[in-house]
Amino acid sequence: MKKNRLCSTALVVIFVMTFVMILGFALTGCEAKNEIKVAVAGPFTGSIAAFGEMIKRGAELKAKEINAAGGVNGKTLTLVFEDDTGKDKEASLVAERIASNRQILAVVGHFNSNCSLAGKPIYQRAGIVELSPGSTNVNVAAGSEWTFRNIYRDDFQAAFAAKYIKNVLGDIQKVAIFFDNDDYGRGLKDSFAAEAKELGLEIVGMEAYDRDNTDFKAQLTSIKAKQPDLIFLSGLYSQAGLIVSQAREAGIPAQLFGADGVDSPDFLTIAGDAAEGTYVTTPFVFRLDDPKAQKMAIAFEEMHGVAPDTWAALTYDAVDMIVEAIEKGGENRKAIRDHLASINSPEKGYDGITGLTYFDENGDCTKPAYVKIVKDGQFVPAAEQMLGME
Amino acid sequence: MAQFLEQIINGLVLGGIYALIAVGYTMVYGIIQLINFAHGEIFMFGAYFAFVCVTTFGMSFWVALPVSMGMCALMGMLIDFVAYRPLRNAPRLSALITAIGMSLMLQNLARLIWGARWRKFPAEATPTVLTGNTIPLPGGAQVSFLDVFIILLAVSLMIGLNRLIHLTKIGKAMRACAQNRAAASLMGIDTNRVITVTFAIGSALGAVAGVMVGLREVTEPAMGYYKGVAAFAAAVLGGIGNITGAMLGGVVLGVAEALGAGYISSEYRLAIAYIIMILVIIFRPSGLLGKSTATRA
């Protein structure tokens, strides 16, 4: 009798479980039919959240446009935003979460070089594409056939910056470097120092800082004693903003020159008046004579109420590249990778708003760099550019 | 020489800020043997309160500073009332875990209210007396008014606190509570009131440090964690529970950080400061000015 009851209870349990599972499968099946999921990973909170904000907005605009035009193969494009806070520890957790979600077909991100590097082995193991719109460290894409980026590498950017300083700015002899002690800041500093020496510039000092720090007076005092003509900022906009304002407070008259990590509208609010006259190198500028970029800028302002920045534009393109790979390659992780890998010559290149993107065997790409200057509290393209330097 | 002088001043400013925060840790520890991890967050809220007063309500900086101190004093008392008082007779570990929870909650609350972005005091709201002027020093060095102001403010507040502890009735009650809370209570001292006042004073001093960091550096939700940990280390270095020790610890740590960054390696700026702290703790386990006998730990 007792045994019988146990049997019937077990039967009911099995029955209910089977029912739930069938229902579950049916539901996910429905979802998979009508939806294409792509992850966007970046620093949406933390000390460099302004980057994340623009990345998110750029991706949202692209998704809106794609869905308004009928979606991807007739399905809705859904973006899954994952916050890595710009820290590698957090990025590897995010990468594990994305990789284990089979519904997600590809990743746009990560933004920071240290985060892309942390995610790389995880995405490689899981076999999912990582397309970074912002990581410039030399080692980000090499060594994994699943990692790509639609931005130049730091060795190119550093050489470009050093040449610009030497050839365009003129009468700069002594250069000091202030670098963020992470993969981006250190890698860029090394490349820059090597190139600057080659060009005959004298490196008079190199000072490091940690991302968490907000007081740079001690390092600036050391730099001040060496009387550099120019300080190269190898780091991100928030710390760079403080460094610039504290440098002026400390009475350092040197020209300030940042790399693309400084290229964010928030640099201007943090640095205030001290930002005036600062140069930055950047992978993209919105030019008035570029109809595609202008169209995107207008749509962006309409949707979000602010002007887009460089990172919104690069993310906008990156999302589109993934969508194109899904449409032309197929709706699985491997097909997306194969399609991206096949974009390996200028003829096959993807022509987005940030220029032509095509990958070499590492997944790196060759794109031009530009120079911006802060004028009247705004980033504007510098009068003199140095294009055609590859 | 000029560089050395400037580095010492950099260190003293940092030290003054650490000291202002560290006394908050040490005063509370002295009386209820609790490491109030939420103190770093009170410091952070101090910076935000002043920021809001200046930007949203258009107050002058000189009004915003005392308002922020008052708000933080209230906040410190409130935290004690809701989080620590119910656990006064519970095992100390419970209160410690509550403090950590409080710290996390407040940090995320700030992130929720003001966002994760870094906020800089608007240029028009910063008093130009402080930020616009520099004082030339011998040898071509110079120091900004703000830095001198921070050092002077920290020193005068520390002297004021010292006088308060030694000359007033409530100061005497605080010292009595620090020696033996049960006995003090038996002598007719309202210990809960003393604890409340301790939280209020510590929090108000933390707010001063917060406003100064907001003015000199930046205001952001994680600032309480980074500066809080350093200030806690300063309190330990000076001998936790000892107010003069906390002041001394803050200055030693700040100067070590500045000189370490300036002359040894900026990559190991904090590491150098902490190595000095560890060395001191190895040879004097109870800190620079701590009692050599074991406390009631």
Side-chain angles (χ1 to χ4, degrees):
Chain A
M1 188 62 197
K2 208 175 178 186
K3 207 176 171 187
N4 243 344
R5 191 180 294 165
L6 203 73
C7 268
S8 53
T9 319
L11 264 174
V12 168
V13 169
I14 289 168
F15 178 75
V16 169
M17 276 171 67
T18 321
F19 181 74
V20 167
M21 277 166 82
I22 289 171
L23 196 73
F25 272 122
L27 280 176
T28 49
C30 279
E31 236 177 10
K33 256 180 221 152
N34 299 323
E35 213 179 23
I36 296 279
K37 277 191 179 174
V38 171
V40 179
F44 300 120
T45 64
S47 70
I48 45 164
F51 282 139
E53 200 167 64
M54 283 294 184
I55 288 167
K56 190 170 185 197
R57 287 168 169 167
E60 279 171 349
L61 173 62
K62 187 39 111 180
K64 193 181 115 186
E65 289 177 0
I66 284 171
N67 289 331
V72 191
N73 296 339
K75 296 171 194 169
T76 315
L77 173 66
T78 305
L79 298 174
V80 181
F81 292 100
E82 289 283 357
D83 181 16
D84 64 27
T85 71
K87 298 205 167 104
D88 37 19
K89 259 187 287 177
E90 206 63 37
S92 39
L93 296 178
V94 163
E96 294 281 7
R97 194 155 60 226
I98 292 173
S100 62
N101 184 347
R102 298 302 304 180
Q103 289 186 2
I104 295 176
L105 295 182
V107 186
V108 172
H110 295 233
F111 176 76
N112 300 82
S113 293
N114 53 341
C115 294
S116 288
L117 285 165
K120 183 163 83 168
I122 297 162
Y123 294 126
Q124 187 180 19
R125 216 179 311 126
I128 179 169
V129 161
E130 177 189 23
L131 173 59
S132 171
S135 297
T136 50
N137 178 286
V138 175
N139 302 319
V140 163
S144 163
E145 68 279 21
W146 294 91
T147 305
F148 300 86
R149 59 176 139 198
N150 67 346
I151 183 171
Y152 51 53
R153 285 194 338 201
D154 275 341
D155 47 355
F156 167 74
Q157 173 174 220
F160 175 84
K163 286 200 180 100
Y164 192 89
I165 289 166
K166 177 76 185 170
N167 300 337
V168 180
L169 295 191
D171 53 272
I172 301 281
Q173 310 289 326
K174 291 192 275 182
V175 176
I177 304 175
F178 216 142
F179 67 99
D180 188 350
N181 203 3
D182 83 337
D183 291 304
Y184 170 70
R186 268 199 317 271
L188 184 64
K189 169 212 66 160
D190 290 340
S191 305
F192 178 81
E195 184 69 25
K197 267 182 210 148
E198 193 104 317
L199 292 173
L201 295 167
E202 190 191 345
I203 308 287
V204 291
M206 285 197 219
E207 296 290 334
Y209 62 86
D210 282 321
R211 186 91 64 78
D212 304 334
N213 219 328
T214 52
D215 168 55
F216 305 98
K217 283 276 172 73
Q219 288 98 318
L220 284 168
T221 301
S222 302
I223 285 184
K224 187 183 167 191
K226 296 177 180 127
Q227 298 180 316
D229 303 317
L230 180 140
I231 300 176
F232 183 70
L233 301 166
S234 183
L236 304 177
Y237 73 87
S238 36
Q239 291 80 13
L242 284 183
I243 290 170
V244 166
S245 73
Q246 290 178 14
R248 294 300 184 230
E249 273 166 36
I252 299 176
Q255 170 68 48
L256 296 154
F257 199 107
D260 55 4
V262 181
D263 181 16
S264 167
D266 270 39
F267 169 73
L268 306 168
T269 54
I270 292 172
D273 293 341
E276 208 61 22
T278 303
Y279 283 98
V280 297
T281 52
T282 177
F284 176 63
V285 284
F286 282 92
R287 284 200 320 273
L288 287 172
D289 58 349
D290 181 350
K292 260 196 292 187
Q294 286 306 318
K295 203 179 134 219
M296 181 267 184
I298 290 164
F300 190 95
E301 276 216 61
E302 235 164 60
M303 184 173 178
H304 299 295
V306 289
D309 74 351
T310 308
W311 312 109
L314 281 159
T315 312
Y316 180 86
D317 271 1
V319 172
D320 201 35
M321 283 188 86
I322 294 288
V323 167
E324 205 183 272
I326 295 171
E327 283 172 346
K328 291 189 181 161
E331 285 173 26
N332 65 70
R333 291 175 171 188
K334 180 82 168 61
I336 295 170
R337 190 214 83 87
D338 291 345
H339 180 80
L340 287 181
S342 77
I343 306 177
N344 56 6
S345 68
E347 297 77 51
K348 295 184 207 155
Y350 166 83
D351 192 20
I353 60 164
T354 63
L356 197 64
T357 306
Y358 57 95
F359 304 110
D360 64 8
E361 67 281 4
N362 286 334
D364 288 329
C365 72
T366 307
K367 276 175 127 173
Y370 304 87
V371 181
K372 288 190 203 173
I373 185 170
V374 181
K375 222 179 219 165
D376 303 323
Q378 291 279 315
F379 273 119
V380 294
E384 215 166 328
Q385 297 293 333
M386 216 171 50
L387 293 170
M389 198 211 90
E390 248 103 69
Chain B
M1 189 59 210
Q3 192 191 345
F4 181 73
L5 208 61
E6 283 191 5
Q7 290 294 22
I8 292 284
I9 290 168
N10 290 337
L12 287 177
V13 173
L14 216 51
I17 287 165
Y18 288 161
L20 282 173
I21 311 172
V23 288
Y25 280 108
T26 228
M27 280 168 73
V28 167
Y29 185 86
I31 290 181
I32 54 174
Q33 281 78 51
L34 166 74
I35 295 164
N36 179 16
F37 280 107
H39 187 60
E41 272 56 48
I42 293 178
F43 152 83
M44 176 260 297
F45 268 89
Y48 271 114
F49 285 146
F51 181 81
V52 169
C53 285
V54 164
T55 53
T56 314
F57 299 108
M59 287 182 199
S60 138
F61 172 79
W62 303 108
V63 182
L65 178 62
V67 168
S68 163
M69 285 172 72
M71 302 258 299
C72 278
L74 276 177
M75 199 175 144
M77 293 191 282
L78 191 72
I79 289 171
D80 172 51
F81 190 77
V82 292
Y84 305 143
R85 187 172 290 189
L87 295 170
R88 203 75 89 208
N89 297 315
R92 277 171 54 191
L93 199 59
S94 312
L96 191 72
I97 292 166
T98 308
I100 294 171
M102 205 65 202
S103 158
L104 287 173
M105 196 205 84
L106 290 173
Q107 195 183 121
N108 286 298
L109 183 67
R111 202 163 278 146
L112 208 64
I113 302 174
W114 293 293
R117 283 195 166 183
W118 287 18
R119 309 282 182 154
K120 193 93 174 126
F121 263 74
E124 61 276 12
T126 49
T128 42
V129 195
L130 296 182
T131 51
N133 296 309
T134 52
I135 303 168
L137 294 175
Q142 62 171 37
V143 52
S144 75
F145 258 39
L146 179 62
D147 285 1
V148 176
F149 177 72
I150 292 176
I151 296 173
L152 291 181
L153 188 66
V155 169
S156 48
L157 284 172
M158 292 296 143
I159 294 172
L161 179 66
N162 187 282
R163 295 297 88 192
L164 180 94
I165 302 270
H166 286 100
L167 298 181
T168 63
K169 202 171 164 193
I170 184 77
K172 200 179 232 174
M174 284 161 92
R175 280 181 290 142
C177 283
Q179 276 176 15
N180 190 330
R181 189 146 50 93
S185 169
L186 288 174
M187 296 300 125
I189 294 172
D190 183 352
T191 50
N192 269 334
R193 192 172 146 260
V194 172
I195 294 167
T196 304
V197 171
T198 307
F199 269 94
I201 295 174
S203 303
L205 292 177
V208 175
V211 178
M212 291 303 132
V213 170
L215 193 60
R216 186 173 182 264
E217 295 165 25
V218 78
T219 307
E220 50 127 357
M223 67 192 279
Y225 175 74
Y226 303 123
K227 287 274 196 299
V229 167
F232 175 61
V236 173
L237 175 64
I240 191 138
N242 184 313
I243 292 172
T244 324
M247 302 175 193
L248 184 67
V251 171
V252 169
L253 206 66
V255 172
E257 208 183 306
L259 292 183
Y263 292 99
I264 305 173
S265 163
S266 49
E267 275 165 84
Y268 298 102
R269 175 180 166 143
L270 271 179
I272 292 163
Y274 286 131
I275 286 169
I276 288 178
M277 185 197 101
I278 290 166
L279 285 178
V280 171
I281 298 296
I282 288 173
F283 294 107
R284 284 193 61 93
S286 49
L288 287 172
L289 300 182
K291 279 168 265 162
S292 51
T293 52
T295 50
R296 289 165 292 159

